Amino acid sequence: MKNVRYAKCVNCGRIYEAVPSLTTCGCGGILDIVYDYGYIRQKLTKEKLKTRPHTMWRYRELLPVEEDTPAPPLRVGGSPLYEAQRLGKMLGVRKLWIKDDGQNPTASLKDRASAMAVAKAREAGAQIIACSSTGNAASSLAGNAAAAGLKTFIFVPERAPKGKVAQLMTFGANVISVQGNYEETFELSKVAIERWGWYNRNAAINPYLSEGKKTVSLEIAEQLSWQMPDYLAISVGDGCTVAGVWKGLKDLYEIGFIDKLPRLISAQAEGCHPINRAIATGEAWYPMEENTLADSIAVGVPRNADKALRAIRESNGLVVNVTDEEIMAAQRLLGTTCGVFGEPAGVTGTAGLKKLCEQGVIGEEDTVVSVVTGNGLKDVANAIRFCGEPMRLPNDLDLLIDEFQKRGIQP
Ligand SMILES: *Cc1c(COP(=O)(O)O)cnc(C)c1O
Ligand SMILES: [Zn+2]
């Protein structure tokens, strides 16, 4: 990889050759991929991008893969960025865009990391990939691996919503539903991966994954013609997404594609916000209970805390915690004003943005991108619980008229 110099431990600074099966440092720290930006600046131009297909692989010069590694089969990336005029007006910001990453092949941003895992597993010559996940890393790995003809072993906590489990079973994964929380699920996957030597797609453990996730901010920048917003709002669990988003922005800054870095908005659930707590108190992070219906960010022991905390601080970012009610209100608001259906964790960034607007922290001078990280169809039970049931009646126009009157609906 001519564009990659090495991998470096974010904890002790030790340097590693960037081999495909890289995991964590001997000291327990997580690794960061370090690029040769001088080389990339020569190789990649904005002009060159214009002719390429709209997938995450259009940014190959900024990705840690060999030049001849084939892009995995599923179309990952190229998700829409909508200007949300009505929602922006309601929230009182100057401009608001919604990046709908629920439109990836398995319906979450995690596809960006899983496609990278498949590419790197192939480079490593591996036939089997494994991970533990709150759900989306699992379903995206299962789908992307299935398309590439690779076998998967996947560990999910028993609370994983049905939509995600259905995806796993349909993609033919070996699924282990662990009777415990995400932390316990992770621990079982860890010892099983050690026991059988599978390619490891665990969040943060494999340093290539957040390099895949960073393509979401590369896309946002390109979709905005390289004019960056003031803020970028994202939901945070393990912290790989927020760190990846920041990495992508810094990459673009380093190669001279953008001249401004947005401030990150880290949104977590009130019932589980160990990363935001560490930012707010200035202390080290420590574990927290996993007490939220936003299952994808119910992460009490974040695996990528070091990189996430660094990203939020470097960006001079904001942290905001939202209740489950606020999350579900944001789900409905995105649905009614934008026609975008996000899963609870998928809309938590928007819920956080709404709260910051209500608090007057963000206002009419500001431009914001909010990333919806997962599709609402993954968890229909919660959506129905909060958005309610339809009108229910037999084939009878008079009853329909009555019902409209009762509910004050103007036909
Ligand atoms: C995984 C996930 C997140 C959070 O990403 P982390 O890297 O765990 O911080 C947010 N939303 C959705 C839908 C996810 O699947
Ligand atoms: Zn180290």
Side-chain angles (χ1 to χ4, degrees):
M1 294 187 286
K2 295 199 193 106
N3 59 339
V4 171
R5 292 171 66 198
Y6 46 72
K8 185 177 177 187
C9 174
V10 298
N11 185 33
C12 75
R14 192 171 154 192
I15 281 171
Y16 292 82
E17 188 191 339
V19 297
S21 55
L22 215 50
T23 54
T24 46
C25 179
C27 82
I30 52 181
L31 302 181
D32 186 39
I33 305 296
V34 178
Y35 291 89
D36 180 347
Y37 290 118
Y39 176 81
I40 296 168
R41 231 180 277 136
Q42 285 171 5
K43 287 279 168 187
L44 183 63
T45 62
K46 292 177 181 175
E47 274 308 305
K48 263 193 193 167
L49 282 173
K50 287 187 177 151
T51 57
R52 297 184 183 175
H54 286 278
T55 78
M56 63 181 269
W57 302 101
R58 67 195 270 103
Y59 309 108
R60 189 178 266 267
E61 287 87 347
L62 284 167
L63 296 177
V65 288
E66 300 291 346
E67 279 173 29
D68 58 357
T69 299
L74 292 183
R75 185 278 306 155
V76 176
S79 66
L81 181 78
Y82 299 120
E83 189 178 343
Q85 287 181 348
R86 259 174 312 133
L87 181 55
K89 203 168 262 172
M90 283 172 73
L91 298 184
V93 295
R94 184 148 67 89
K95 265 185 191 293
L96 171 65
W97 294 269
I98 300 296
K99 175 75 167 164
D100 185 8
D101 237 45
Q103 289 204 35
N104 275 301
T106 76
S108 81
L109 188 148
K110 293 287 192 303
D111 279 330
R112 298 179 187 272
S114 290
M116 179 59 70
V118 166
K120 296 309 283 182
R122 275 179 163 170
E123 284 182 5
Q127 296 301 317
I128 304 177
I129 315 183
C131 78
S132 68
S133 158
T134 57
N136 283 332
S139 54
S140 71
L141 177 62
N144 282 276
L150 299 171
K151 196 164 150 181
T152 49
F153 284 87
I154 288 177
F155 298 77
V156 287
E158 58 186 336
R159 66 169 151 79
K162 283 222 164 57
K164 298 180 186 182
V165 177
Q167 285 183 303
L168 290 173
M169 302 315 290
T170 304
F171 295 139
N174 295 291
V175 184
I176 302 99
S177 176
V178 179
Q179 294 163 329
N181 61 12
Y182 175 49
E183 168 65 3
E184 291 163 307
T185 306
F186 183 91
E187 292 302 329
L188 181 59
S189 79
K190 188 174 158 201
V191 293
I193 288 169
E194 273 163 22
R195 169 78 170 73
W196 285 289
W198 302 320
Y199 189 81
N200 190 335
R201 186 247 178 264
N202 270 338
I205 306 302
N206 181 327
Y208 296 111
L209 302 181
S210 61
E211 302 298 316
K213 286 187 167 184
K214 82 183 178 188
T215 58
V216 71
S217 49
L218 306 183
E219 269 174 29
I220 289 170
E222 193 182 6
Q223 286 168 317
L224 291 175
S225 306
W226 315 105
Q227 302 300 307
M228 300 313 293
D230 299 316
Y231 293 96
L232 200 155
I234 190 99
S235 53
V236 175
D238 271 312
C240 300
T241 311
V242 71
V245 161
W246 185 239
K247 181 76 175 281
L249 295 169
K250 284 206 305 182
D251 282 356
L252 293 175
Y253 192 82
E254 289 290 338
I255 63 168
F257 276 32
I258 60 173
D259 55 13
K260 166 181 172 174
L261 291 165
R263 295 173 69 181
L264 299 173
I265 297 172
S266 165
Q268 293 205 287
E270 192 65 59
C272 188
H273 59 275
I275 288 180
N276 282 357
R277 178 174 61 189
I279 296 278
T281 62
E283 290 168 11
W285 75 271
Y286 55 95
M288 200 162 178
E289 270 184 59
E290 298 174 355
N291 197 1
T292 171
L293 58 71
D295 63 289
S296 305
I297 53 166
V299 180
V301 181
R303 297 291 155 189
N304 206 43
D306 291 345
K307 278 195 207 174
L309 292 170
R310 201 175 61 175
I312 298 164
R313 288 187 178 126
E314 266 183 26
S315 83
N316 191 24
L318 302 174
V319 297
V320 57
N321 304 318
V322 285
T323 63
D324 284 356
E325 286 68 30
E326 287 167 329
I327 290 171
M328 298 315 285
Q331 179 185 60
R332 190 156 181 195
L333 190 61
L334 272 165
T336 53
T337 61
C338 302
V340 169
F341 186 19
E343 68 170 276
V347 303
T348 300
T350 310
L353 169 64
K354 179 166 179 274
K355 194 162 187 172
L356 291 171
C357 289
E358 286 161 1
Q359 293 171 346
V361 179
I362 291 181
E364 56 192 25
E365 299 297 308
D366 300 315
T367 58
V368 190
V369 170
S370 185
V371 184
V372 173
T373 48
N375 192 290
L377 289 174
K378 285 174 175 278
D379 181 5
V380 290
N382 275 313
I384 287 176
R385 199 146 69 83
F386 282 82
C387 289
E389 299 278 348
M391 290 173 246
R392 224 180 268 280
L393 41 88
N395 176 10
D396 184 328
L397 184 62
D398 291 333
L399 288 177
L400 181 60
I401 293 166
D402 286 351
E403 191 68 29
F404 280 171
Q405 265 167 358
K406 245 189 276 165
R407 292 173 182 244
I409 295 172
Q410 301 286 331

